[in-house]
Amino acid sequence: MPNNISPQYDLLDETLNAYRAADRPVNNQYLYNAVAQRAHLTDEITQNCQPIGKSGSQRNVYHRQLRWHQQTLRDMGMLKRIPGKRGVWELTDKAKRGLHPIRRPLSLVAFSTDLGVACWGYSQDVFGQWPSNEPIMLALTSPPYPLASSRRYGNPSASEMVGFILDILAPIVERMAPEASLILNLSEDIFLPQLPARSTYLERVIIALEDQLGLSLMDRIPWVNRSKPPGPLRYASITRQQLNVSWEPILWFARDPKRCKADNRRVLTPHSERQQRLIDQGGEKRTAVYGDGAYRLSPGAYANPTAGAIPKNTLEFGHSCAVGRKHRKLCQQHGLPTHGAGMPYRLPEFFIKFLTEEGDLVADSCGGRLMTARAAQSLNRAWVTTECMAEYIAGGSLLFEEEKGFARSAAFEALLHSVA
Ligand SMILES: C[S@@+](CC[C@H](N)C(=O)[O-])C[C@H]1O[C@@H](n2cnc3c(N)ncnc32)[C@H](O)[C@@H]1O
């Protein structure tokens, strides 16, 4: 039995690794066998069939998931179909190249714009040197999730997660302004080995951030993403003890909750038609009492025209976005790897607006596609981001080439050529 094949992306890396190990074009049957072997999948998993689609015809769930991952890898520019041969694929040249982490404790400015700087380096090394007279107003980051089957760039285990997060965040929190916030996007879908039960690492991260870094939890905001691939495969599709996943937690902390700069007037949404009608007609006409007197409606309530509706504390959008698609296209054109775990633009955009004002400094310790930096630049905030993999930071830089003051450092350019 695999330790855990539950998180939605678990078999993505095994799919990629199976093609890497083959190092030649291979057909789907080869892929199914190779991934099953690599991930120690039982026949129960690899032969499980379920009725799929409107016709309800029986389909192999495992094969379907691998074909899904094939499409994802193709979209990421990692895999290509062999023309004229059904179900035969091979890695692209780009995918055959690896990622290049910087050697610690070195770090290097990769590129900068009039508003920000992107460093090829480990976050701990860069933020440990960050000047205290440039306080951070928002740290917004999505560190590697503690997946049982590692992503391409590596990740800690659930038991290492508290130490990993504290190590990354301690130097950043030290440099946060009293009004500052921290936004952490982590995963809820980390399962205990061989069990359909979830890890409580998130709760331990929250307590450690409170106890050891002095932060206060402002909210847990679910990011509902209905386009997540189906999973956890084993526990939702086979043992049927779990539901398919559709959300990720966003944890919001403040350095000092009383002074926190959050202002929901910066993220108001348009009133619904019903709400606007209510305002236009002079508010409520009814008198009513609900919840044993806890809520009362009286004539004229909700009559005041307001600039918009206060958002509810859930966010709902998919992971695909125009900036992400542009990033993928640019990376493909330049022969650079895309990124398998990027957040959509709307996520950093929302929190940057909500928690900062123009000119404030936004930091991301785990840059990936550099989506936080991209949103900060567009919203006229100063920004700093770190990313330990040269190819990711080079790919992210392609999103900034049109910006005022854009310049790649000569040292980074030279390094990239030497590893190409
Ligand atoms: C989940 S991804 C972040 C994705 C990003 N939010 C985006 O939208 O593209 C995590 C990234 O952090 C990088 N990383 C991991 N540990 C790091 C560290 N200590 N310092 C800098 N980067 C790190 C990984 O290489 C990976 O690209």
Side-chain angles (χ1 to χ4, degrees), residues 99 101-102 104 119-127 140-145 151-156 164 167-168 185 327 339-345 347-348 364-372 385-390 392-393:
L99 293 173
I102 196 160
R104 293 193 70 179
C119 298
W120 180 34
Y122 281 84
S123 141
Q124 302 88 315
D125 302 328
V126 174
F127 286 101
L140 192 162
T141 197
S142 177
Y145 298 168
R151 304 307 300 261
R152 219 171 151 216
Y153 46 74
N155 56 255
F164 178 76
D167 190 38
I168 286 193
N185 171 209
H327 174 264
H339 198 286
M343 54 172 71
Y345 180 83
L347 199 150
D364 187 352
S365 51
C366 297
R369 298 188 296 185
L370 313 190
M371 205 53 98
T372 304
T385 190
T386 54
E387 167 55 56
C388 57
M389 300 296 179
Y392 288 157
I393 209 149

Side-chain angles (χ1 to χ4, degrees), residues 86-275:
R86 195 176 147 80
V88 179
W89 299 71
E90 73 168 339
L91 289 183
T92 57
D93 288 346
K94 178 187 78 184
K96 289 178 188 159
R97 282 194 256 131
L99 293 173
H100 291 82
I102 196 160
R103 213 172 320 130
R104 293 193 70 179
L106 295 177
S107 60
L108 190 71
V109 168
F111 72 94
S112 55
T113 68
D114 59 335
L115 286 175
V117 57
C119 298
W120 180 34
Y122 281 84
S123 141
Q124 302 88 315
D125 302 328
V126 174
F127 286 101
Q129 313 276 324
W130 191 254
S132 51
N133 61 356
E134 288 186 47
I136 296 164
M137 192 54 74
L138 172 63
L140 192 162
T141 197
S142 177
Y145 298 168
L147 300 175
S149 169
S150 165
R151 304 307 300 261
R152 219 171 151 216
Y153 46 74
N155 56 255
S157 67
S159 60
E160 292 162 343
M161 201 59 185
V162 169
F164 178 76
I165 295 264
L166 287 177
D167 190 38
I168 286 193
L169 292 181
I172 296 183
V173 172
E174 245 175 64
R175 289 160 178 83
M176 271 166 47
E179 302 85 2
S181 290
L182 163 71
I183 292 290
L184 266 186
N185 171 209
L186 288 167
S187 175
E188 167 74 4
D189 305 315
I190 306 303
F191 287 79
L192 298 178
Q194 306 203 36
L195 288 174
R198 283 178 158 82
S199 160
T200 51
Y201 85 97
L202 273 175
E203 282 69 19
R204 276 174 273 129
V205 164
I206 293 172
I207 292 168
L209 289 176
E210 196 175 88
D211 288 353
Q212 297 188 44
L213 299 188
L215 296 175
S216 301
L217 181 68
M218 296 291 279
D219 204 352
R220 301 171 173 90
I221 299 179
W223 163 30
V224 179
N225 174 4
R226 297 200 189 275
S227 42
K228 261 178 183 289
L233 179 67
R234 182 176 170 195
Y235 302 128
S237 299
I238 298 169
T239 71
R240 300 290 189 132
Q241 292 161 289
Q242 282 286 356
L243 306 175
N244 272 337
V245 297
S246 74
W247 67 281
E248 289 187 7
I250 309 286
L251 303 176
W252 169 26
F253 297 87
R255 182 130 209 220
D256 177 347
K258 277 195 184 149
R259 298 176 67 180
C260 180
K261 201 176 217 189
D263 189 337
N264 65 34
R265 286 168 297 190
R266 289 193 289 261
V267 284
L268 295 177
T269 55
H271 288 302
S272 65
E273 269 180 37
R274 193 163 161 262
Q275 183 70 25

